[in-house]
Amino acid sequence: MAAPGLPALSGGIRRFASTLIGLIYPPTCVSCGAATGQPHALCAACWSGLRLIERPYCERLGTPFALDLGVGRLLSPGAIAEPPAFCRARAVAVYEGTARDLVHRLKYNDRLDLARTMARMMASAGGELLDEAELILPVPLHGLRLWRRRFNQSALLAREIARVSGTPCDLRALARVKATRPQVGLTRHQRAMNLQGAFRVPNDARSRIAGRRLLLIDDVATTGATGNAAARVLLRGGAASVDLLTFATVTRDGL
């Protein structure tokens, strides 16, 4: 039997070790490396480079309005003209400045440590979606691209969001079966065409998503084509609804 007070002693040792490590290796900004008050955080300069998305925004696409219209929750012209397959999309910030830098460093510079910070911010921005979600799914990579990159940034974010929120995560409920060309440089229409037939719900996953409210995770939403294509497949596979949560989103004039 453990001696009384041993758990408290162990906890005290852990806190002392953490403090000692902090003195030897002071916390730094995850983006630029400047000193910060706490680990896994952004410094004031990088934080000011984030254009955070807060209401008023389109309740369907999650994109901010240029002006506060002051008349409750609204839909953007884009959401009315071309309603997406997913129910709602939310993002932490507009895809520019610090947000763009973080996405690029995670995806292209092997900064896997950024997933923890970005996921924590996503869980906060997408709180209303997480409250209703029954299962978290990442946007998958095709096997060839996964082999070349060695990791799926969306899966890293999805796992961290699941850990923070306590919502279950399924990494295999959606598969990418078509090796699409890179989306960079493609028009909105070209992106949609490029993704036709790209996703599939494996037969053994249909029972896991049937009738459930799903939350799809990706790093950035550009035109919504990826989220749309994935949501359509999931809905055809039996999901009750699909929401989309990304770290950043691209805005268009007029939204």
Side-chain angles (χ1 to χ4, degrees), residues 143-160:
L144 286 175
R145 188 164 296 172
L146 181 60
W147 178 77
R148 289 170 184 158
R149 189 177 293 168
R150 305 185 309 281
F151 66 92
N152 177 4
Q153 72 280 355
S154 298
L156 294 176
L157 293 169
R159 278 197 293 257
E160 282 294 321

Side-chain angles (χ1 to χ4, degrees), residues 70-189:
V71 287
R73 302 186 175 190
L74 300 174
L75 297 180
S76 64
I80 295 172
E82 298 181 64
F86 50 81
C87 292
R88 298 165 295 178
R90 297 291 183 267
V92 173
V94 175
Y95 186 59
E96 63 183 31
T98 300
R100 183 178 57 232
D101 292 343
L102 291 172
V103 168
H104 279 214
R105 286 169 182 161
L106 172 62
K107 185 183 294 187
Y108 303 119
N109 294 349
D110 290 350
R111 285 289 309 278
L112 308 191
D113 59 298
L114 292 176
R116 180 175 179 180
T117 301
M118 294 166 69
R120 188 172 66 239
M121 298 172 72
M122 291 170 69
S124 177
E128 60 183 326
L129 307 187
L130 279 166
D131 286 344
E132 300 177 15
E134 296 175 284
L135 191 65
I136 293 173
L137 280 67
V139 171
L141 287 179
H142 186 267
L144 286 175
R145 188 164 296 172
L146 181 60
W147 178 77
R148 289 170 184 158
R149 189 177 293 168
R150 305 185 309 281
F151 66 92
N152 177 4
Q153 72 280 355
S154 298
L156 294 176
L157 293 169
R159 278 197 293 257
E160 282 294 321
I161 292 170
R163 184 183 64 82
V164 170
S165 66
T167 305
C169 178
D170 193 324
L171 301 181
R172 300 183 182 277
L174 182 65
R176 197 157 193 155
V177 295
K178 176 183 172 185
T180 56
R181 59 185 288 201
Q183 297 277 76
V184 177
L186 299 184
T187 65
R188 186 182 184 86
H189 176 70

Side-chain angles (χ1 to χ4, degrees), residues 25-110:
Y25 303 103
T28 57
C29 174
V30 295
S31 180
C32 72
T36 58
Q38 57 183 342
H40 310 292
L42 293 170
C43 68
C46 289
W47 185 263
S48 66
L50 280 175
R51 183 180 163 196
L52 298 173
I53 297 176
E54 299 175 331
R55 284 192 171 94
Y57 50 64
C58 171
E59 293 298 320
R60 196 74 186 271
L61 300 178
T63 47
F65 291 105
L67 300 173
D68 186 348
L69 303 178
V71 287
R73 302 186 175 190
L74 300 174
L75 297 180
S76 64
I80 295 172
E82 298 181 64
F86 50 81
C87 292
R88 298 165 295 178
R90 297 291 183 267
V92 173
V94 175
Y95 186 59
E96 63 183 31
T98 300
R100 183 178 57 232
D101 292 343
L102 291 172
V103 168
H104 279 214
R105 286 169 182 161
L106 172 62
K107 185 183 294 187
Y108 303 119
N109 294 349
D110 290 350

